């Protein structure tokens, strides 16, 4: 993981709600990711989670009152607001949402919020009927208009026994949305289609042909593009990874299913990045019963799968098309040949087989080849880092294309 939050100064506001205990976990995650976090508790929050917990986890004094307890005359809410890179309120009660939407400043947190000019994230959490109340929804709309990022609550069983929307999302998810909020939006509203993972080609109902692709590289690219403001569709073969937040998933199994999903979505796409490890062949006649081990030898007849990328290259109009080449040798010549044959704007070559590069690893060593003949070799990097550098290059090339 890239340490996006390293040295970032974050202020965490906590309101009085049953989910306040999750704020302590959120604080722990932010600190672990390198952020320096200051906490403001409302009067009611103190009833759910004490200042000592937050002080111990943040290693910083906690603000619980408008009036400076240090007595040194500094106006804390202005000081903290000026230095913060972002402010996050989790959980946010209906009362706090109402106050912020209307510019009311009658306690430490609401007064502080009026002074904040950095990005603001708010995580409503309350009983479902309260959350769905028109006044609350209206206030949330106002906050969105005021450029707050509103993290929608999860649905599920709430502490009050009701099942519905209102639960504070997992702290990891809230931290992820904070990371997104802090990213430059240089892919704003661009439509990006990414394919990832392996395809599975059935032999019978219990067996298949596939490959070792973990999907990590493609998921890293989808996540990075979403952080940077793109509308992302991730066409994914079977992986054990969880869907990146904010990304539209199209789950597929076979190469034919992947081809259909990509063709359906390519028309409107601005950028297509084809990372998936597509099985080149599929059993000619998969059967719908389990094959028994009756004979000593078994021959499988295979048919060639459609080359999805080549077909996209044939059909493409203005889309910027990126392929991946997994090679065990002759990386330069094999990658360039694929770029040419499949009509790509760019191809990412990587040598598979080593421990720091390839399918299962969290790192990758890749070389970018561009269709103007240039190339760029990167050192061994985290797949997340490779993803962001790849997007940097795509943005440069798209801009140069006009
Ligand atoms: N690809 C595809 N459809 C296929 C095979 C590959 O869309 N049936 C795409 C991959 O997603 C990747 C690129 O083509 O972006 C190169 O894939 P790779 O497996 O490296 O090469 P192949 O074209 O399959 O050629 P070979 O297996 O002979 O190296």
């Amino acid at each position: 993981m890239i340490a996006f939050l390293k040295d970032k100064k974050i202020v965490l506001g906590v309101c009085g709600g049953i989910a306040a205990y999750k704020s302590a976990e959120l604080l722990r995650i932010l600190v672990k990711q390198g952020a320096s976090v200051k906490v403001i508790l409302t009067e009611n929050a103190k009833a759910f989670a004490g200042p000592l917990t937050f002080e111990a986890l943040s290693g910083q004094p906690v603000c619980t009152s408008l009036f400076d307890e240090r007595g040194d005359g500094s106006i804390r809410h202005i000081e903290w607001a000026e230095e913060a890179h972002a402010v996050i309120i989790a959980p946010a009660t209906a009362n706090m949402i109402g106050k912020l939407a209307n510019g009311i400043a009658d306690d430490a947190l609401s007064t502080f919020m009026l002074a904040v000019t950095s990005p603001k994230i708010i995580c409503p959490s309350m009983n479902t009927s309260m959350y769905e109340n028109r006044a609350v929804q209206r206030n949330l709309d106002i906050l969105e208009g005021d450029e707050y990022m509103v993290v929608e609550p999860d649905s599920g069983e709430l502490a009050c026994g009701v099942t519905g929307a209102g639960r504070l999302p997992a702290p990891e998810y809230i931290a992820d949305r904070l990371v997104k909020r802090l990213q430059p939006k240089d892919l704003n509203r661009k439509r990006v289609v990414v394919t990832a993972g392996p395809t599975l080609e059935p032999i019978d109902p219990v067996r298949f042909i596939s490959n070792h692709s973990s999907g990590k590289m493609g998921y890293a690219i989808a996540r990075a593009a979403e952080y940077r403001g793109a509308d992302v569709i991730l066409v994914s073969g079977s992986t054990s990874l969880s869907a990146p937040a904010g990304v539209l998933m199209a789950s597929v199994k076979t190469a034919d299913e992947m081809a259909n999903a990509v063709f359906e979505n390519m028309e409107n796409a601005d950028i297509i990045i084809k990372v998936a490890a597509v099985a080149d062949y599929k059993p000619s006649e998969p059967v719908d019963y389990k094959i028994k081990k009756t004979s000593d030898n078994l021959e499988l007849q295979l048919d060639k799968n459609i080359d999805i990328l080549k077909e996209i290259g044939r059909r493409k109009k203005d889309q910027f098309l990126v392929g991946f080449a997994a090679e065990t040798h002759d990386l330069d010549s094999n990658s360039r040949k694929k770029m040419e044959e499949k009509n790509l704007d760019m191809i990412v070559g990587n040598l598979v087989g080593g421990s720091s590069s390839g399918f299962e690893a969290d790192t990758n060593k890749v070389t970018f080849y561009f269709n103007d003949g240039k190339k760029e070799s990167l050192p061994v990097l985290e797949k997340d880092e490779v993803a962001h550098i790849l997007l940097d290059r795509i943005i440069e090339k798209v801009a140069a294309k006009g």
Side-chain angles (χ1 to χ4, degrees):
M1 268 291 282
I2 306 176
F4 288 109
L5 297 179
K6 192 168 183 311
D7 300 329
K8 289 279 182 273
K9 293 193 169 106
I10 310 295
V11 173
L12 172 64
V14 182
C15 302
I18 189 73
Y21 75 95
K22 287 192 194 167
S23 316
E25 178 61 9
L26 173 61
L27 168 59
R28 203 188 58 77
I29 291 169
L30 301 180
V31 169
K32 202 168 158 213
Q33 291 188 20
S36 155
V37 188
K38 288 186 167 133
V39 178
I40 304 178
L41 297 181
T42 64
E43 199 52 41
N44 286 341
K46 285 193 279 178
F48 291 91
L52 264 183
T53 306
F54 292 100
E55 215 161 283
L57 287 172
S58 68
Q60 313 223 37
V62 169
C63 174
T64 55
S65 149
L66 243 188
F67 305 103
D68 181 25
E69 295 113 36
R70 287 179 299 179
D72 62 4
S74 62
I75 307 166
R76 187 172 296 181
H77 57 271
I78 302 290
E79 200 183 290
W80 287 16
E82 275 172 359
E83 63 181 27
H85 293 106
V87 177
I88 183 160
I89 305 184
T93 53
N95 183 46
M96 182 56 68
I97 291 164
K99 288 200 283 188
L100 297 179
N102 292 285
I104 294 170
D106 66 351
D107 68 354
L109 183 56
S110 55
T111 307
F112 164 81
M113 290 309 286
L114 285 187
V116 173
T117 53
S118 54
K120 300 186 268 274
I121 299 147
I122 191 151
C123 308
S125 170
M126 64 200 74
N127 158 276
T128 305
S129 301
M130 287 172 76
Y131 177 66
E132 288 170 354
N133 182 286
R134 287 178 64 182
V136 173
Q137 287 302 316
R138 201 166 47 233
N139 287 333
L140 285 170
D141 286 347
I142 292 174
L143 290 183
E144 253 171 352
D146 290 347
E147 292 185 350
Y148 271 77
M149 179 194 224
V150 177
V151 177
E152 287 193 14
D154 280 349
S155 289
E157 198 184 326
L158 304 176
C160 55
V162 170
T163 301
R167 207 162 64 175
L168 191 72
E172 292 79 6
Y173 176 79
I174 298 173
D176 182 74
R177 295 300 80 190
L178 168 66
V179 170
K180 173 178 174 142
R181 185 64 188 82
L182 290 172
Q183 293 297 301
K185 296 292 172 284
D186 48 9
L187 281 172
N188 202 22
R189 301 248 77 89
K190 290 272 182 242
R191 280 167 301 232
V192 178
V193 175
V194 181
T195 71
T199 66
L200 310 185
E201 310 300 333
I203 298 169
D204 69 11
V206 288
R207 294 139 177 142
F208 54 79
I209 296 175
S210 190
N211 57 65
H212 288 300
S213 171
S214 65
K216 285 178 182 169
M217 190 66 242
Y219 276 57
I221 294 170
R223 190 179 312 111
E226 196 270 342
Y227 280 169
R228 294 166 75 154
D231 293 331
V232 182
I233 297 176
L234 176 57
V235 181
S236 175
S238 297
T239 73
S240 58
L241 306 172
S242 27
V247 162
L248 202 65
M249 292 292 291
S251 298
V252 297
K253 285 217 156 56
T254 64
D256 288 330
E257 287 172 20
M258 182 170 280
N260 288 337
V262 175
F263 298 154
E264 260 171 40
N265 289 295
M266 72 169 286
E267 283 280 300
N268 296 325
D270 299 299
I271 297 162
I272 303 171
I273 308 173
K274 203 143 185 328
V275 199
V278 183
D280 287 332
Y281 292 90
K282 62 182 172 190
S284 310
E285 289 175 5
V287 290
D288 58 7
Y289 54 87
K290 187 181 173 202
I291 298 171
K292 288 290 175 189
K293 56 174 185 303
T294 42
S295 59
D296 286 342
N297 294 301
L298 179 69
E299 277 188 19
L300 266 183
Q301 174 81 29
L302 302 177
D303 289 344
K304 206 173 195 177
N305 261 329
I306 177 175
D307 189 321
I308 307 169
L309 187 55
K310 196 170 182 176
E311 184 56 26
I312 306 170
R314 200 183 63 75
R315 294 187 192 185
K316 83 171 173 134
K317 297 188 179 88
D318 291 333
Q319 297 95 333
F320 191 91
L321 185 55
V322 183
F324 269 66
E327 306 295 342
T328 52
H329 56 278
D330 298 331
L331 187 65
D332 271 29
S333 56
N334 282 329
S335 301
R336 288 188 201 282
K337 192 162 157 250
K338 283 179 190 172
M339 176 163 58
E340 173 133 13
E341 280 174 3
K342 304 191 190 204
N343 189 26
L344 311 179
D345 294 283
M346 175 179 178
I347 194 160
V348 181
N350 74 309
L351 278 175
V352 289
S355 58
S356 60
S357 187
F359 292 134
E360 289 294 337
D362 288 325
T363 53
N364 211 354
K365 167 140 184 46
V366 302
T367 302
F368 297 152
Y369 300 89
F370 303 96
N371 67 359
D372 59 5
K374 296 207 176 99
K375 79 168 192 180
E376 177 183 4
S377 293
L378 302 185
V380 174
L381 293 171
E382 296 281 323
K383 285 182 174 168
D384 284 318
E385 292 176 282
V386 174
H388 279 279
I389 299 172
L390 172 61
L391 294 177
D392 290 343
R393 296 299 170 272
I394 293 173
I395 290 165
E396 286 160 22
K397 293 288 169 190
V398 170
K401 255 172 116 181

